[in-house]
Amino acid sequence: MLGDPQAVDLDLLDLESALLRAAVGDYAAEAAVLLLADSGHWLPRLQAAGLVSIALDGDAVDGGPWAAVQWGDLDGALRAGRISGTGGERRLLRAAASLAEGQPVDLADLTAGLDRGELTLLLAALAHAAGSHEHHDVLRDGDGLSQDGPLLGPVVAWPQRD
């Protein structure tokens, strides 16, 4: 690849990996990326609209690029028609922007327009952002002292991709 790296040069799996590489360790940012990827709608549209920036990192263990969604540009792109989606898809995009960058979202409006599959994705994203996949059961010994028990798993798991 000659010149500056471009998101359009990556296939969708590599794009998702680059976005996750940049988000790793920040559960809310990870949840935002996984929400976009698992929806199956947004990553190719954001990529085609030039709303994902890429940076190379020679220090990365796998040498792969890092990527970031240009969250602040989404509203303008939606208004200009550069990206589009159904009502539920737009709600998931707003939820991802809220998780990744703290953009305000009206939960009543957000949840009212989701079908069951979209609601499952949103709940999985919220559970991931809260770190529920890292929660342990709390056990008490004979003296009543608490200690970490087994890993409980996420409150709502990410659905299997087709």
Side-chain angles (χ1 to χ4, degrees), residues 109-128:
D109 176 63
L110 179 75
T111 56
L114 298 177
D115 64 26
R116 188 172 183 89
E118 293 163 341
L119 179 59
T120 300
L121 288 175
L122 176 63
L123 293 173
L126 294 174
H128 188 95

Side-chain angles (χ1 to χ4, degrees), residues 1-13:
M1 174 169 38
L2 297 174
D4 291 332
Q6 301 290 315
V8 295
D9 296 329
L10 299 176
D11 66 33
L12 289 179
L13 185 57

Side-chain angles (χ1 to χ4, degrees), residues 23 42 59 67 82 96:
W42 284 115
D59 294 335
R82 290 179 37 223

Side-chain angles (χ1 to χ4, degrees), residues 18-40:
L19 288 163
L20 284 170
R21 190 175 290 112
V24 74
D26 178 340
Y27 292 154
E30 291 174 4
V33 170
L34 292 169
L35 182 56
L36 294 178
D38 284 3
S39 78

Side-chain angles (χ1 to χ4, degrees), residues 3-160:
D4 291 332
Q6 301 290 315
V8 295
D9 296 329
L10 299 176
D11 66 33
L12 289 179
L13 185 57
D14 288 340
L15 178 61
E16 179 182 347
S17 295
L19 288 163
L20 284 170
R21 190 175 290 112
V24 74
D26 178 340
Y27 292 154
E30 291 174 4
V33 170
L34 292 169
L35 182 56
L36 294 178
D38 284 3
S39 78
H41 177 83
W42 284 115
L43 285 188
R45 280 152 186 84
L46 297 175
Q47 180 184 39
L51 294 168
V52 179
S53 61
I54 299 290
L56 297 178
D57 182 6
D59 294 335
V61 173
D62 61 4
W66 295 58
V69 172
Q70 301 305 302
W71 299 106
D73 296 337
L74 296 181
D75 283 337
L78 284 164
R79 282 192 303 274
R82 290 179 37 223
I83 55 173
S84 64
T86 66
E89 289 164 344
R90 288 190 314 271
R91 284 173 171 87
L92 290 183
L93 181 63
R94 287 199 321 262
S98 183
L99 287 166
E101 220 176 53
Q103 293 183 13
V105 64
D106 179 338
L107 288 176
D109 176 63
L110 179 75
T111 56
L114 298 177
D115 64 26
R116 188 172 183 89
E118 293 163 341
L119 179 59
T120 300
L121 288 175
L122 176 63
L123 293 173
L126 294 174
H128 188 95
S132 75
H133 57 290
E134 296 285 335
H135 292 174
H136 289 263
D137 196 4
V138 176
L139 303 177
R140 302 220 179 263
D141 64 17
D143 296 326
L145 299 174
S146 64
Q147 56 188 346
D148 280 345
L151 194 62
L152 294 171
V155 171
V156 177
W158 292 102
Q160 293 292 324

